[in-house]
Amino acid sequence: WLIDPSRAIPATLAVLVVTCPCALSLATPAVLAAATADLARRGVLVAHSDAFESLTKATHVLWDKTGTLTHGLVRVEEVRSLRDEDAERSLALANALERMSEHPIARAFLAAGAATSTATDVVVTAGAGLEGRVDGRLLRIGTLDFARGLSVSAARARHAEAATAAESWVYLGDERGLLAGFRLADPLRAEAVGCVQQLAQLGLASEIVSGDAAAAVARIAARSGIERFEARLTPQAKLARLKSLQDTGAVVVGVGDGINDAPLLQAANVAVAMGRGSALAQTSADLILVRDSLDQLPEIVRIARQAQRIVKQNLAWSIAYNLAALPLAALGLVPAWLAAIGMSLSSVFVVLNATRVTRRTTTGATPRWTDARPAGAA
């Protein structure tokens, strides 16, 4: 209006076109869409895209053990009778109870033999075990303290603990005390060591928080290269450890698969669940490893960091374009048709730049995932 009133309307139209926030509004969603699609091809389901931002700041990883660092293909290696029940009967009773559980340990008992009875009134105590009635008897299976109840003598408890301190054991008991102990074995995932090492190179310290016996957790920690670990933790204790890290300013990634891990995953800054984990764990997760393998976890962190860099580039470009073009349009130096072309090109640039997030891989190509089950898996 001040320079040439006859050009006021075209100049106003050009200003409106230039300030159309297409590029600015596409800057972040385009990158997140590209990253989500790339991870899907890798066998990673993104449930909450805001996890990308937290991943870029992550400092710690809290691992569950069974079914996460290990395959979860637990096997019953030995049955030790502790009272009058023989090994076969003890295994059948344990099988009846464990049929009501989704924990990976339950699969070991189901694979070890068929149940001859059906459990009723089953109650799951997270981090401890199961309690229910089999053939009219009240039975418990789980940790030593949970299985023995209050009726077993302190001498027998100390003897049982001393005899099995070097192994990973689950116990069966009734109202009179312990019935049997089951020695379990669960192999470490082949990719676990490399995953932990790569995460350490990316600046993420690893720690195991497990409800299993200390000896079993120590063995897995040593084999996977994790220095810090805690064993025999209840879900509440896992959550307390998470909170203690977060209180120091740490940004924590929680990785788990079981019902016991759900509180940890719910409170973690980023929650990662295994593909064959429980439904409750997956519901609490931001990311689900559909392929049930840890090999893509370091790459998820790299993609998140690359995505953040590209988002910043897109935002910088969009803002710079608007700041440069707006004064020219206001002065009548940019016609509306040219402003429309510039606006369209800026949006195209943002979208094309967003696709660069899929090129950031360790192998130079984006692998397509297949359902690669570990040996021995059903």
Side-chain angles (χ1 to χ4, degrees):
W1 182 260
L2 294 176
I3 297 175
D4 185 354
S6 65
R7 298 171 58 191
I9 292 180
T12 301
L13 182 59
V15 167
L16 291 175
V17 174
V18 165
T19 55
C20 181
C22 290
L24 198 61
S25 61
L26 288 172
T28 299
V31 176
L32 295 181
T36 299
D38 185 42
L39 289 177
R41 289 190 290 269
R42 297 171 181 273
V44 181
L45 175 63
V46 179
H48 303 104
S49 58
D50 54 353
F52 287 115
E53 183 176 0
S54 297
L55 272 174
T56 62
K57 306 172 185 176
T59 58
H60 290 73
V61 182
L62 291 185
W63 299 89
D64 174 49
K65 182 183 80 69
T66 303
T68 304
L69 285 170
T70 66
H71 282 294
L73 301 175
V74 187
R75 294 177 175 86
V76 179
E77 298 288 337
E78 178 186 350
V79 181
R80 183 177 299 178
S81 295
L82 300 177
R83 215 170 67 211
D84 50 356
E85 300 285 352
D86 60 31
E88 184 177 354
R89 177 58 178 167
S90 296
L91 191 58
L93 293 174
N95 189 307
L97 280 175
E98 292 289 0
R99 283 185 177 276
M100 310 304 293
S101 173
E102 294 184 359
H103 195 279
I105 287 178
R107 301 175 196 145
F109 290 93
L110 300 183
T116 57
S117 305
T118 301
T120 60
D121 302 328
V122 176
V123 177
V124 178
T125 302
L130 295 91
E131 180 181 78
R133 292 192 176 275
V134 180
D135 297 334
R137 298 172 63 185
L138 181 63
L139 299 175
R140 304 182 190 89
I141 187 168
T143 64
L144 178 62
D145 290 338
F146 181 78
R148 70 187 180 185
L150 299 176
S151 59
V152 68
S153 67
R156 170 61 69 87
R158 286 195 297 269
H159 172 75
E161 277 190 305
T164 60
E167 303 290 351
S168 178
W169 288 76
V170 169
Y171 296 90
L172 176 69
D174 61 8
E175 293 176 302
R176 293 170 50 202
L178 294 178
L179 289 172
F182 306 94
R183 183 168 62 87
L184 308 177
D186 185 14
L188 180 71
R189 292 180 184 270
E191 73 275 11
V193 176
C195 177
V196 171
Q197 290 176 346
Q198 291 184 57
L199 289 173
Q201 293 171 0
L202 293 169
L204 279 72
S206 290
E207 178 180 339
I208 299 178
V209 285
S210 175
D212 296 340
V217 178
R219 288 197 301 273
I220 293 299
R223 293 174 184 175
S224 57
I226 298 176
E227 295 182 0
R228 183 181 175 89
F229 64 89
E230 295 188 48
R232 286 301 186 202
L233 296 183
T234 63
Q236 292 72 25
K238 292 183 181 182
L239 186 59
R241 176 56 186 160
L242 170 67
K243 294 294 186 183
S244 67
L245 286 173
Q246 291 175 330
D247 289 343
T248 64
V251 177
V252 183
V253 179
V255 189
D257 74 308
I259 294 176
N260 298 345
D261 304 316
L264 172 70
L265 297 179
Q266 189 70 39
N269 299 96
V270 180
V272 181
M274 305 303 295
R276 291 188 176 87
S278 69
L280 185 57
Q282 294 182 358
T283 301
S284 305
D286 300 303
L287 304 166
I288 301 174
L289 303 179
V290 180
R291 195 173 56 163
D292 203 59
S293 173
L294 301 174
D295 55 0
Q296 289 299 323
L297 194 52
E299 196 64 18
I300 294 173
V301 178
R302 295 189 185 98
I303 288 174
R305 292 179 179 180
Q306 175 76 347
Q308 185 188 47
R309 287 192 290 268
I310 294 177
V311 165
K312 290 180 179 179
Q313 292 172 7
N314 282 352
L315 291 174
W317 161 258
S318 302
I319 294 172
Y321 167 75
N322 281 342
L323 290 178
L326 182 58
L328 298 177
L331 292 172
L333 302 178
V334 177
W337 63 267
L338 184 57
I341 293 176
M343 183 267 293
S344 300
L345 290 178
S346 66
S347 300
V348 171
F349 173 83
V350 164
V351 173
L352 291 178
N353 193 42
T355 63
R356 293 176 52 241
V357 73
T358 65
R359 303 173 194 169
R360 179 64 168 88
T361 67
T362 55
T363 61
T366 302
R368 293 185 180 273
W369 70 275
T370 56
D371 188 14
R373 287 184 170 90

